[in-house]
Amino acid sequence: MTQTTRVPTDTADAAHTREWLRRFQRVRRASEALCAPLETEDYMVQSMADVSPPKWHLAHVSWFFEAFILTPYLKGYETPDPAYDFLFNSYYETHGKPFPRHLRGTISRPTVKQVYHFRAHIDREMERLLSAPPLEHLDEIIDRLEIGLHHEQQHQELLVMDIKHILSCNPLHPVYRDDIRSRLLANAEQAPTAPAPVNNEPRWHRYAAGVRQIGADYPTQSAREHDGEGFVFDSETPRHRQYVAEFELADRPVTNADFLKFIEDGGYTRTELWLSDGWHLIHQTGWQAPEYWLRVEGRWHTMSLGGLVPLDPSAPVCHVSFYEADAYARWAGARLPTEAEWETAAEDQRPTGHFVEDEVLQPQASAATQGQGPQQMFGDVWEWTGSAFLPYPGFTPLEGSLGEYNGKFMSGQMVLRGGCCATPGDHIRPSYRNFFPPQARWAVSGIRLARDV
């Protein structure tokens, strides 16, 4: 019989593992804090196929730790219900058959209470594992734990987006949190009722042509030992050389006031501005403004997590599809940046935007003054790029089922960069590649312009 060697409790490995346990507990608490304002009825709603019920998110991220860490590495682990491995598997076909995505809203059982019990069970068992992990599997456990924590942070962002979409479908315009409503209404009181004709055109920052280093490599062991510094997903690798021609990048994201000018100039009716797929889509859907915009008594409003509030002209426009972003850029005499251009400009920028920790969960106007370099490269809105989500030269997915995390989606998706107001601040980095299909609008997605020199 093989004897399992446990990590001694008085070693550097044990101290390192205890720090990972604290990180695990912090991330887990953050997910539940996001759901705390919900009523029980809110947890079950699936407002469209791309949206998952909050209850499902909470269970799925717990399933991830069960499937990829507890089951293989905690001796004697027992699941509360074997059916969870089917119900809460998202898309890992090599692990097992997933439950159909568009039917997640039909899962009335387990109940919300039982899902929280499942989370508590996972938390206890993870603490038991990390308190005395098997030494021979320690590196693999930590690798998978780190992926699992960033995976849960991704779902925290999705929770915010999905909750907003769920509440937006209710004609009562429910308020998720009263304090968010108070802050947004205070911003609206300070804003003009119509965009002022002040010259607030973006300034342009020029970047020289050259061969750039794009992407990232997996962190070294020493980097991992410093609170997980250097984590990257496989889709960000490998770091590679890429020629980038001379270009200019706008110093700020496109604002609501900017986008209103596009609407008022007939932007949604001018075929010459649109890609063919986008033109057909706006006629099929009837889009005439970004998602969540609503005109009330002659003034534009937007649905937020503070309910329906007047539109802030100076805030970055958000909830636009790639097609709308591309059409706006063409109307403005510019284009969307490539992801290599975006990363070139962002590499030395500090994350000065608004993140989930700011707790307003709505893009905000920049407090920076013009001339200080590109503003809000991180936070507030994910910025569409003109690049398709494709593998970098030399890309190799992770082994096993975790290799399905990103690689299988490298088709029909566009890259977004920079994070948004729903992104945890310690989750984002210059090399991070988010991706959505070009028609997606429920994500907190916005626009930054680029142009050729």
Side-chain angles (χ1 to χ4, degrees):
M1 183 175 179
T2 303
Q3 181 71 30
T4 299
T5 303
R6 301 290 173 183
V7 174
T9 59
D10 58 350
T11 64
D13 276 341
H16 182 50
T17 304
R18 285 194 294 270
E19 176 55 34
W20 277 106
L21 175 59
R22 286 190 286 270
R23 289 188 64 202
F24 171 81
Q25 293 167 335
R26 183 172 68 251
V27 169
R28 299 284 283 173
R29 287 193 298 268
S31 298
E32 296 188 9
L34 287 172
C35 291
L38 299 178
E39 299 294 342
T40 303
E41 292 79 1
D42 298 326
Y43 282 87
M44 267 295 298
V45 180
Q46 183 173 25
S47 48
M48 66 172 178
D50 288 334
V51 164
S52 295
K55 184 181 76 172
W56 187 92
H57 282 292
L58 293 176
H60 166 69
V61 293
S62 301
W63 166 87
F64 189 96
F65 292 112
E66 179 181 75
F68 298 122
I69 299 179
L70 291 173
T71 297
Y73 297 119
L74 181 58
K75 186 177 180 180
Y77 174 76
E78 293 185 4
T79 181
D81 191 330
Y84 292 177
D85 198 50
F86 168 56
L87 292 177
F88 303 125
N89 178 0
S90 53
Y91 50 72
Y92 296 90
E93 301 276 357
T94 57
H95 174 83
K97 183 179 179 181
F99 188 81
R101 181 181 183 182
H102 68 286
L103 296 177
R104 291 171 185 171
T106 66
I107 307 174
S108 59
R109 308 294 174 89
T111 64
V112 173
K113 184 177 181 180
Q114 288 171 320
V115 165
Y116 274 103
H117 284 166
F118 178 41
R119 286 183 63 86
H121 173 79
I122 296 300
D123 292 348
R124 286 192 301 269
E125 296 295 84
M126 285 294 294
E127 181 173 2
R128 184 159 71 94
L129 175 64
L130 295 176
S131 295
L135 185 59
E136 64 270 29
H137 298 304
L138 180 59
D139 286 347
E140 183 64 21
I141 289 171
I142 296 303
D143 283 345
R144 294 185 178 202
L145 173 60
E146 189 169 33
I147 294 172
L149 293 177
H150 283 271
H151 169 256
E152 182 144 350
Q153 287 185 309
Q154 287 182 319
H155 277 269
Q156 290 167 3
E157 181 180 279
L158 288 169
L159 267 169
V160 173
M161 297 176 182
D162 289 0
I163 290 169
K164 185 174 183 178
H165 192 273
I166 288 166
L167 297 180
S168 77
C169 293
N170 188 324
L172 300 178
H173 307 301
V175 174
Y176 164 76
R177 271 177 34 194
D178 290 331
D179 62 313
I180 292 177
R181 181 168 182 79
S182 297
R183 290 177 65 177
L184 295 178
L185 288 177
N187 290 347
E189 288 178 2
Q190 299 171 11
T193 56
V198 176
N199 181 20
N200 190 27
E201 295 299 315
R203 299 186 182 184
W204 297 88
H205 295 270
R206 181 170 295 192
Y207 297 85
V211 176
R212 306 285 184 175
Q213 291 289 335
I214 301 299
D217 288 321
Y218 289 116
T220 63
Q221 182 66 25
S222 60
R224 286 180 54 221
E225 290 173 355
H226 290 82
D227 299 324
E229 288 183 9
F231 173 81
V232 295
F233 286 111
D234 60 359
S235 59
E236 300 170 55
T237 68
R239 192 162 173 82
H240 59 285
R241 289 157 52 89
Q242 183 172 339
Y243 177 76
V244 178
E246 187 176 17
F247 71 98
E248 291 183 333
L249 191 73
D251 71 332
R252 61 169 177 79
V254 171
T255 65
N256 289 320
D258 295 331
F259 203 85
L260 275 169
K261 296 176 184 176
F262 168 75
I263 295 174
E264 292 165 356
D265 195 41
Y268 281 90
T269 65
R270 294 170 54 181
T271 184
E272 73 272 16
L273 300 176
W274 293 83
L275 295 171
S276 177
D277 287 348
W279 182 249
H280 290 300
L281 183 64
I282 64 172
H283 283 79
Q284 290 170 1
T285 59
W287 292 348
Q288 297 180 13
E291 182 87 337
Y292 305 134
W293 282 30
L294 184 66
R295 201 161 179 81
V296 179
E297 296 180 354
R299 183 177 182 183
W300 282 106
H301 288 63
T302 185
M303 181 62 185
S304 73
L305 287 168
L308 194 65
V309 297
L311 191 71
D312 181 354
S314 58
V317 68
C318 66
H319 299 298
V320 291
S321 67
F322 168 81
Y323 295 126
E324 289 163 295
D326 180 80
Y328 176 89
R330 193 170 288 109
W331 172 83
R335 59 174 173 81
L336 299 178
T338 67
E339 62 171 327
E341 290 171 339
W342 192 98
E343 189 170 327
T344 296
E347 195 166 26
D348 298 323
Q349 294 295 315
R350 293 175 58 249
T352 56
H354 299 89
F355 298 95
V356 70
E357 292 84 0
D358 293 287
E359 296 197 359
V360 69
L361 306 181
Q362 185 79 3
Q364 300 294 291
S366 173
T369 58
Q370 286 186 333
Q372 295 180 330
Q375 306 164 20
Q376 295 175 294
M377 293 290 286
F378 299 96
D380 288 289
V381 290
W382 283 104
E383 299 179 2
W384 286 107
T385 73
S387 299
F389 184 54
L390 296 172
Y392 284 153
F395 166 73
T396 302
L398 296 174
E399 295 182 358
S401 292
L402 289 176
E404 297 187 61
Y405 200 108
N406 288 304
K408 67 191 285 182
F409 298 109
M410 291 177 171
S411 173
Q413 314 272 353
M414 302 302 293
V415 173
L416 302 91
R417 293 295 195 110
C420 72
C421 57
T423 308
D426 62 355
H427 180 65
I428 200 63
R429 53 199 166 271
S431 61
Y432 193 116
R433 308 172 77 198
N434 200 358
F435 57 91
F436 282 102
Q439 71 273 16
R441 303 212 301 173
W442 97 104
V444 187
S445 49
I447 311 168
R448 185 183 297 268
L449 298 177
R451 64 187 184 188
D452 300 319
V453 175

